Amino acid sequence: LHRVDRRQRQMCIRDRCGFWCLDFERVDLYNLRQMKKEMQVRVASLSGAVAVGLGAFGAHGLKQVLESHQTAEVWETAVFYHFVHTLVLLWISDKASMGEGPRRCFLFGMLVFSGTLYALSVTGIRWLGAITPIGGLALIMGWGWMAVWSARGRDSAGTEV
């Protein structure tokens, strides 16, 4: 960072090629929100691809491992919750007024809930099941947050505020 000129509302960065200046008056908040939404859609899309891939891998590539540990149903539960909450993440990416709370709850919940079930299924380490409810609690918190948001985030006509 080379300088910040508050009078001219600019921030300039110096590199080998010269100066790069950001004019604060030209920063478009709509574009920043759009970039955030696009990142949320990318994360949800990647999560969906991973859910489909893990579902197929469990059905074909890990079939013998899951049968030997008797955890095929656990794997299916992990894939199901992973996929359902991926769809929720995709849906709430369009709800900017909801804030970050539900998104973070769903992401954390998916990672912990489905992640521990995936690991338990493959390794057969049963104590991982004791961690799974923490992810489930995060998922429940995400749903609760959405319920509170929907009750507060709409006017009397039912339109989004």
Side-chain angles (χ1 to χ4, degrees), residues 81 84-85 88 91 102 105-106 136-150:
Y81 277 83
V84 165
H85 290 91
V88 172
W91 179 75
C105 287
F106 287 130
L137 183 61
L139 295 174
I140 292 168
M141 288 172 55
W143 285 105
W145 205 317
M146 281 179 35
V148 170
W149 169 80
S150 68

Side-chain angles (χ1 to χ4, degrees), residues 74-128:
V74 175
W75 185 272
E76 289 173 9
T77 300
V79 171
F80 177 76
Y81 277 83
H82 185 168
F83 195 68
V84 165
H85 290 91
T86 293
L87 293 175
V88 172
L89 281 177
L90 189 59
W91 179 75
I92 65 175
S93 68
D94 196 36
K95 310 293 182 208
S97 63
M98 190 177 294
E100 289 298 312
R103 289 177 190 88
R104 290 180 181 169
C105 287
F106 287 130
L107 278 172
F108 177 77
M110 282 182 359
L111 287 172
V112 175
F113 185 85
S114 293
T116 55
L117 290 180
Y118 289 137
L120 183 149
S121 299
V122 173
T123 63
I125 301 173
R126 296 289 178 184
W127 64 263
L128 288 170

